[in-house]
């Protein structure tokens, strides 16, 4: 990790500690937007036969990642 | 005081519905990225990692049926015996989504070794989050991220948690967990 990135991580974490409610609102907006955008994309993707195939491949990729964590 | 449902983000609402069902059948812990995100870490994720006690097949079948009734579906299949024998019993995770909604998903696995059992024994609620879930301890999450997972994303999660918890962290516990991880997972 480069130094600037580390400093940004530290700055944001310190903000979370000092202003937990404000930080929480910002994170909620990010999390909700990310998931909403992805789900809307998948909905459009599944409207065509090729898209449904691509969607199945994406699901398979997700399954292959299973169990590689903690 | 726990947060009202209106204050929760999509991931938290999903976890709340899922764990309400799970806790009828087994102890559980939520681990890894979600732990960092509920402490303010601003990053994206597609899934939440959940470890269950090593429940027998029959009990898992009951849990699976309850999850299906609650609107969840497993993306690996519907048959609980197959899911147990081909995945969970082989220490491979399965993933549940809300029916028809690809994201987020709950990645579910059974406790597979002494480390997972210990995490379940030491499970804790994390008051700083105002959330009702059972988590593995912050120290354990930091140890796994720094000693085992080690991706840039995981190292950043660990750094974030270290800053947020500051002087409240039990550093000896982090070191003990790192030694256990070396012993059992290396």
């Amino acid at each position: 990790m480069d130094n600037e990135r580390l400093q940004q991580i530290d700055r944001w974490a310190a903000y979370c500690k000092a202003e937990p409610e404000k930080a929480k609102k910002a994170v909620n907006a990010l999390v909700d937007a990310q998931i909403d955008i992805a789900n809307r994309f998948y909905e459009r993707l599944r409207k065509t036969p090729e898209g449904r195939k691509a969607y199945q491949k994406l699901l398979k990729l997700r399954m292959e990642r299973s169990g590689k964590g903690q | 005081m726990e947060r009202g449902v209106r204050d929760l983000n999509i991931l938290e609402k999903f976890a709340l519905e899922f764990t309400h069902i799970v806790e009828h059948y087994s102890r559980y812990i939520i681990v890894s990225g979600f732990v960092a995100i509920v402490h303010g870490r601003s990053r994206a994720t597609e899934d939440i990692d959940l470890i269950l006690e090593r429940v027998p097949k029959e009990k898992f079948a009951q849990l699976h049926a309850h999850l299906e009734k609650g609107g969840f579906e497993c993306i690996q299949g519907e048959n609980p015996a197959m899911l147990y024998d081909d995945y969970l019993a082989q220490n491979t995770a399965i993933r549940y989504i809300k029916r028809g909604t690809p994201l987020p998903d709950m990645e579910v696995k059974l406790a597979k070794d002494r480390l997972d059992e210990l995490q379940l024994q030491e499970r804790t609620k994390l008051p700083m989050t105002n959330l009702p879930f059972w988590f593995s301890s912050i120290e354990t999450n930091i140890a796994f991220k720094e000693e085992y997972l080690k991706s840039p994303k995981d190292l950043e999660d660990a750094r974030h948690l270290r800053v947020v918890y500051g002087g409240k962290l039990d550093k000896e516990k982090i070191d003990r967990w790192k030694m256990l991880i070396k012993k059992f997972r290396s």
Side-chain angles (χ1 to χ4, degrees):
Chain A
M1 281 187 277
D2 65 68
N3 204 36
E4 226 169 84
R5 178 70 187 155
L6 291 180
Q7 283 175 7
Q8 170 57 16
I9 299 287
D10 291 350
R11 267 198 304 273
W12 178 253
Y15 181 72
C16 291
K17 198 173 173 182
E19 299 280 359
E21 291 307 316
K22 286 181 188 170
K24 172 72 191 149
K25 274 187 187 167
V27 171
N28 280 0
L30 174 79
V31 166
D32 288 352
Q34 178 236 334
I35 293 171
D36 277 340
I37 289 165
N39 278 333
R40 282 205 301 270
F41 171 77
Y42 287 134
E43 206 177 316
R44 287 198 305 276
L45 188 67
R46 287 184 292 178
K47 282 183 178 166
T48 65
E50 295 80 16
R52 281 193 286 279
K53 273 188 205 162
Y55 174 71
Q56 289 305 323
K57 277 187 189 166
L58 290 171
L59 274 189
K60 204 174 162 197
L61 284 176
R62 216 193 300 173
M63 285 189 262
E64 285 169 7
R65 288 204 310 269
S66 294
K68 296 197 170 130
Q70 179 169 335
Chain B
M1 187 190 292
E2 286 171 9
R3 279 192 209 127
V5 173
R6 276 181 308 173
D7 303 324
L8 303 181
N9 63 45
I10 292 172
L11 281 177
E12 292 164 342
K13 286 179 195 162
F14 177 83
L16 193 63
E17 275 190 62
F18 196 90
T19 55
H20 269 170
I21 296 174
V22 167
E23 58 200 4
H24 288 96
Y25 301 90
S26 170
R27 289 193 304 163
Y28 75 88
I29 43 171
I30 293 177
V31 301
S32 209
F34 185 71
V35 179
I37 290 169
V38 296
H39 286 89
R41 173 94 157 97
S42 65
R43 72 163 172 88
T45 189
E46 293 185 334
D47 53 31
I48 301 169
D49 299 291
L50 183 142
I51 301 174
L52 287 179
E53 282 178 300
R54 211 158 178 92
V55 292
K57 195 194 293 189
E58 300 70 29
K59 203 166 200 179
F60 169 71
Q62 291 170 0
L63 166 60
H64 177 77
H66 196 159
L67 287 168
E68 287 201 322
K69 200 175 164 191
F72 292 95
E73 66 175 323
C74 179
I75 63 178
Q76 278 93 343
E78 293 177 358
N79 182 331
M82 179 278 289
L83 292 171
Y84 194 92
D85 293 336
D86 294 356
Y87 292 91
L88 295 175
Q90 311 299 324
N91 297 326
T92 302
I94 57 176
R95 291 172 181 266
Y96 285 91
I97 56 175
K98 284 296 276 187
R99 199 166 290 120
T101 308
L103 292 177
D105 73 57
M106 186 68 77
E107 183 177 337
V108 177
K109 64 179 181 176
L110 299 183
K112 67 171 181 288
D113 59 13
R114 183 77 190 121
L115 285 192
D116 287 345
E117 286 165 13
L118 264 178
Q119 290 188 83
L120 279 159
Q121 274 172 28
E122 292 183 359
R123 72 180 188 158
T124 183
K125 295 199 173 174
L126 296 170
M128 200 182 274
T129 68
N130 285 342
L131 292 166
F133 309 123
W134 289 103
F135 295 96
S136 57
S137 72
I138 291 298
E139 287 85 356
T140 312
N141 278 283
I142 289 173
F144 266 100
K145 284 179 176 297
E146 291 179 347
E147 187 65 38
Y148 183 67
L149 299 167
K150 292 182 178 176
S151 74
K153 175 187 73 179
D154 291 300
L155 294 174
E156 289 181 3
D157 284 353
R159 190 174 179 103
H160 178 91
L161 290 171
R162 279 185 180 273
V163 174
V164 168
Y165 275 87
K168 293 179 192 161
L169 284 175
D170 181 343
K171 288 177 183 162
E172 285 180 12
K173 185 173 177 180
I174 295 175
D175 291 340
R176 274 201 309 278
W177 267 97
K178 286 186 175 181
M179 287 173 67
L180 285 168
I181 291 164
K182 274 185 197 158
K183 185 175 172 188
F184 287 96
R185 296 275 173 96
S186 293

